[in-house]
Amino acid sequence: MKIGGHVSTAGGLNVAIDNAVKIGAEAIQIFASSPRSWNFSEPKEEDVSLFLEKANKFAISPVFLHGVYLVNLGNAVLLEKSINSLTQHMLVASSIHAKGVIFHCGSRKGFEFEEVLPQIADAIKEVLRSTPDDVSLIFENSAGMGSSIGSNFEEIEAIFSNVNNNRLGLCLDTQHCYASGYDLTKDEGVDLLISQIKPIGIEKILAVHANDSKVPFDAGVDRHENIGEGFIGIKGFEKIMAVEELSEVPFILEVPGFGKVRGPDEENVNRLKKIRLD
Ligand SMILES: [Zn+2]
């Protein structure tokens, strides 16, 4: 099991590898552009080749891109922008040999899930159709805030079976699972989660976002905490990381960190490395 983290690309994509090495991350997630804006500019060729060279040198793999937070496949007004943004990210992912693009599906505000399902499935199909075969589009489960889509695996299964494409992958966020009613600190919670993912396919899980939770079980709120400092706790991570089905899946931190610079740090990486079984 690889332990990784979301790292900054300030100064260029290739700088992300330096940042990974600094904290001991073995895998990474990065933004290809500001996550709070639709603005996008393609990375420079020199930056891409330097990124590939460094990733290879320090054996940082796999690499994931995270889509912008504005993506919303449940909203007709934002649909085209969302498809364009995901497509741009998928192309960058392919050029830097990333595994794929992790994205938040968005909100079905004002609609029932069944009403927005066809639109979501069509959008995902369109992104997959217009992007290279070597990258996956990776659906992240949500914490269930407001009318966010995909906070339970029945909904996610409906989306996966409608899209019916092997290039659609799954990212499990431990904090989102915990906040949306899967108590990962208990065997029953873990069993419920795994049994609900089985119809989708355990092999679809391409990444775990390893985050402790600032909010209690089933709070329905997306608030990440450092490993061991939240409601999941070290005991919870010991349980999650011992799940047989997840033993080959990279665990990627998206935590606030203990220092002044926000984001995953060496301490969080080390806490997970201490817990992993291999
Ligand atoms: Zn996440």
Side-chain angles (χ1 to χ4, degrees):
M1 178 188 287
K2 299 269 189 92
I3 304 299
H6 185 102
V7 288
S8 167
T9 54
L13 293 182
N14 76 88
V15 180
I17 303 295
D18 306 332
N19 293 333
V21 172
K22 269 184 217 153
I23 63 169
E26 300 156 336
I28 54 167
Q29 173 179 280
I30 54 175
F31 290 128
S33 61
S34 163
R36 295 176 207 286
S37 159
W38 291 113
N39 293 338
F40 181 84
S41 55
E42 271 179 42
K44 299 205 167 58
E45 242 173 78
E46 312 89 79
D47 189 16
V48 170
S49 41
L50 200 49
F51 177 92
L52 290 170
E53 194 185 307
K54 287 185 184 178
N56 186 42
K57 183 176 169 196
F58 295 105
I60 303 294
S61 166
V63 170
F64 298 94
L65 251 56
H66 196 294
V68 302
Y69 296 137
L70 307 175
V71 164
N72 190 343
L73 303 183
N75 180 313
V77 179
L78 297 173
L79 194 61
E80 202 185 317
K81 275 186 166 167
S82 298
I83 293 171
N84 284 342
S85 174
L86 288 172
T87 303
Q88 287 164 334
H89 281 71
M90 290 284 275
L91 295 172
V92 174
S94 180
S95 74
I96 63 169
H97 303 174
K99 189 110 181 155
V101 178
I102 297 172
F103 75 105
H104 299 172
C105 192
S107 151
R108 55 173 175 77
K109 199 171 179 206
F111 295 92
E112 292 303 318
F113 173 69
E114 287 69 25
E115 293 178 283
V116 293
L117 174 59
Q119 168 186 318
I120 294 167
D122 285 349
I124 292 173
K125 283 185 200 166
E126 190 177 333
V127 173
L128 290 173
R129 210 169 25 237
S130 56
T131 53
D133 278 345
D134 61 351
V135 280
S136 293
L137 188 58
I138 307 169
F139 188 106
E140 178 173 353
N141 69 306
S142 73
M145 276 171 103
S147 354
S148 71
I149 300 155
S151 62
N152 65 71
F153 289 86
E154 285 103 339
E155 265 183 29
I156 298 176
E157 189 200 348
I159 294 168
F160 273 67
S161 63
N162 266 268
V163 173
N164 190 27
N165 187 315
N166 283 334
R167 287 172 55 223
L168 180 60
L170 184 60
C171 170
L172 281 188
D173 188 307
T174 56
Q175 195 276 328
H176 302 176
C177 287
Y178 186 71
S180 65
Y182 298 90
D183 190 351
L184 303 181
T185 66
K186 299 203 170 74
D187 286 335
E188 305 86 84
V190 172
D191 292 347
L192 174 68
L193 177 72
I194 296 297
S195 70
Q196 288 196 1
I197 296 175
K198 276 197 175 138
I200 303 170
I202 298 288
E203 73 287 354
K204 297 278 175 14
I205 307 172
L206 302 183
V208 167
H209 279 167
N211 303 309
D212 210 326
S213 181
K214 233 187 229 334
V215 292
F217 172 62
D218 211 13
V221 183
D222 184 343
R223 294 279 181 278
H224 300 184
E225 179 56 284
N226 292 316
I227 303 298
E229 306 296 316
F231 285 89
I232 297 177
I234 295 292
K235 288 243 168 320
F237 279 93
E238 282 171 354
K239 200 168 275 302
I240 300 159
M241 293 171 89
V243 174
E244 171 88 51
E245 286 89 342
L246 301 178
S247 60
E248 299 296 321
V249 180
F251 273 51
I252 310 286
L253 291 152
E254 293 177 315
V255 293
F258 291 97
K260 271 192 207 141
V261 185
R262 281 189 68 82
D265 51 11
E266 196 175 14
E267 175 62 25
N268 276 285
V269 169
N270 285 341
R271 287 187 181 193
L272 288 185
K273 282 183 177 173
K274 239 169 121 179
I275 302 169
R276 73 173 158 191
L277 299 176
D278 52 340

